[in-house]
Amino acid sequence: MRQKNKLTNEELFHFCEQFSILLHSGISCAEGLELMLDDSRTQRGKDFFQLLLTDFEQNGSFSQTLKNSGYFPESMISYIDIGEETGCLDEVLKSLSEHYDQEIEISENIRSAITYPLIMLAMMGTVIIILLVNVFQQVFRQMGLEMNHFSNGLLNAGNVISRYSAVLLILILIITAGFSALFFTEKGRFYLRRLSGRLPCIKDIPISADYARLTQAIAMGIHSGLDHVVTLEMAQKLLSHPNIREKAEKAQKLLEDGVIFEDALSESGLFEGLNARLITVGLRTGTADEVMSKLAIRYREMALTITGNILSIAEPSIVIIFSLLVGLVLLSVMMPLLGILSEIVM
């Protein structure tokens, strides 16, 4: 497989949205790629769609074409493979467009929540360093006062930062690049998901995201009449959380042993409580695909809600902590001066 830079979430969103519309209107994959090739206005876009079209004409598999290109993430390719197997490729692409739209929303929320406190930190740090190095130090010297240990420590730190500002700037750029790679690349998000699964505050986010993928895949399998064992087997490719994958494998083995679908899902621990009962009712009434689709929407909204709640708490908390630190620094420097002024007044 050719190694390429993966498409961004914005590019994946537009690709899935446009292609789902084309397929839903009755246009074939080859015709859709030709239309998108003709509609491309840049040479990069034309080369990209020509690559996909040529490969698709050779192998006839849309998922294999995307995999061979090297531009698309493995999770998306697994979804596309399920869509081809179930005959629901247009629905899969529509679901993927909604997924990447939500990924963009989450990324923007995280970016805005982090950017504002970092800008405040940089501005307050710059002001404090200028005050310590260029203002308060001169005032204390002219008045013949000595700074306390805390103020001296801050002053020394300010002098070091001022002296090695170029090195500090390079370190800040490296840290920024590291955070960008962590949040905005496929490999970075993979490690972030593994890390988040171990943190008590945010471990529910990857779990909800995995269940959204799982229920959506099951819904597509039921809707197309695909065998339940095959549906669960293909859905496991979308899962990143080890506990959920283990439960899905257990449910698949129960199915292979002759256990009915709803019992396999509940006995494996894959679904419990109200959700398990809803799935059972859906399977018995012939509306299981609708139930699973609604559960997928609920799990996606749950992940967004948890993310929003964490950001709503984190952003003001960071601002409060930075403000308290700035106040502490200023007080440590101003208290000796206030003492001298009070003696002069008296």
Side-chain angles (χ1 to χ4, degrees):
M1 184 180 71
R2 292 181 288 272
Q3 295 297 321
K4 305 284 185 180
N5 293 325
K6 302 293 184 181
L7 298 179
T8 64
N9 284 337
E10 288 82 359
E11 292 169 330
L12 291 170
F13 164 71
H14 290 298
F15 178 86
C16 294
E17 184 184 46
Q18 294 173 11
F19 218 84
S20 67
I21 295 172
L22 291 172
L23 293 181
H24 187 71
S25 62
I27 295 175
S28 66
C29 288
E31 291 171 333
L33 289 172
E34 288 178 357
L35 287 172
M36 296 178 83
L37 171 62
D38 295 336
D39 193 52
S40 298
R41 297 182 180 180
T42 64
Q43 188 60 44
R44 178 176 177 270
K46 291 183 180 295
D47 294 340
F48 171 72
F49 286 109
Q50 184 61 61
L51 173 70
L52 296 182
L53 179 60
T54 302
D55 195 277
F56 181 77
E57 289 174 344
Q58 292 175 355
N59 62 60
S61 170
F62 192 55
S63 60
Q64 189 62 42
T65 293
L66 300 188
K67 184 176 182 179
N68 291 342
S69 70
Y71 284 103
F72 297 89
E74 291 294 329
S75 58
M76 176 180 171
I77 294 170
S78 298
Y79 258 124
I80 298 295
D81 187 31
I82 293 174
E84 285 188 303
E85 290 288 335
T86 60
C88 305
L89 188 55
D90 58 333
E91 297 178 19
V92 170
L93 286 165
K94 181 181 178 181
S95 176
L96 283 168
S97 69
E98 295 172 354
H99 165 72
Y100 287 116
D101 189 30
Q102 291 174 340
E103 288 282 316
I104 293 169
E105 182 182 350
I106 292 174
S107 298
E108 289 177 350
N109 290 338
I110 293 174
R111 190 184 298 116
S112 63
I114 293 176
T115 302
Y116 176 64
L118 285 179
I119 292 174
M120 282 194 62
L121 175 62
M123 293 177 63
M124 289 187 291
T126 303
V127 170
I128 290 172
I129 291 171
I130 292 173
L131 288 175
L132 286 173
V133 176
N134 298 326
V135 179
F136 289 119
Q137 185 180 18
Q138 299 299 325
V139 171
F140 272 76
R141 284 178 179 175
Q142 290 177 6
M143 298 183 68
L145 299 176
E146 291 185 2
M147 289 186 171
N148 56 37
H149 294 297
F150 184 72
S151 300
N152 272 322
L154 291 174
L155 179 61
N156 293 332
N159 288 328
V160 171
I161 292 173
S162 179
R163 188 176 304 141
Y164 299 102
S165 57
V167 177
L168 180 63
L169 180 61
I170 293 173
L171 288 175
I172 292 173
L173 291 175
I174 292 173
I175 293 172
T176 303
F179 273 105
S180 300
L182 189 64
F183 283 104
F184 306 116
T185 64
E186 183 69 16
K187 183 177 288 187
R189 284 192 290 268
F190 171 76
Y191 287 115
L192 193 63
R193 283 195 295 268
R194 291 185 61 182
L195 176 63
S196 63
R198 299 171 183 172
L199 299 177
C201 298
I202 59 176
K203 65 179 181 180
D204 289 336
I205 297 176
I207 292 175
S208 298
D210 257 13
Y211 268 107
R213 301 185 191 103
L214 175 65
T215 48
Q216 187 64 46
I218 294 175
M220 289 184 294
I222 294 173
H223 180 73
S224 62
L226 198 66
D227 182 73
H228 294 323
V229 176
V230 177
T231 298
L232 275 180
E233 183 179 357
M234 298 183 72
Q236 290 171 35
K237 300 176 183 178
L238 306 171
L239 304 176
S240 59
H241 199 283
N243 290 340
I244 302 175
R245 183 177 295 173
E246 182 180 345
K247 292 176 181 178
E249 292 174 354
K250 184 178 178 180
Q252 181 184 340
K253 291 178 181 177
L254 289 171
L255 282 173
E256 292 171 348
D257 293 338
V259 179
I260 60 175
F261 193 40
E262 55 263 41
D263 290 343
L265 295 179
S266 59
E267 289 178 17
S268 63
L270 194 57
F271 293 95
E272 299 175 342
L274 179 60
N275 289 342
R277 290 195 292 272
L278 286 173
I279 293 170
T280 300
V281 172
L283 286 166
R284 292 176 181 176
T285 58
T287 58
D289 55 337
E290 298 178 13
V291 171
M292 285 293 184
S293 296
K294 291 179 180 179
L295 285 176
I297 295 172
R298 184 186 298 175
Y299 282 121
R300 281 197 294 266
E301 291 177 349
M302 189 183 302
L304 285 173
T305 301
I306 297 172
T307 304
N309 291 339
I310 292 174
L311 293 178
S312 66
I313 296 172
E315 184 174 358
S317 298
I318 294 173
V319 173
I320 290 171
I321 291 171
F322 288 163
S323 300
L324 290 175
L325 289 174
V326 172
L328 180 63
V329 170
L330 293 177
L331 280 175
S332 69
V333 178
M334 292 296 296
M335 287 304 291
L337 293 177
L338 292 175
I340 294 296
L341 291 175
S342 65
E343 291 179 3
I344 294 174
V345 172
M346 293 177 64

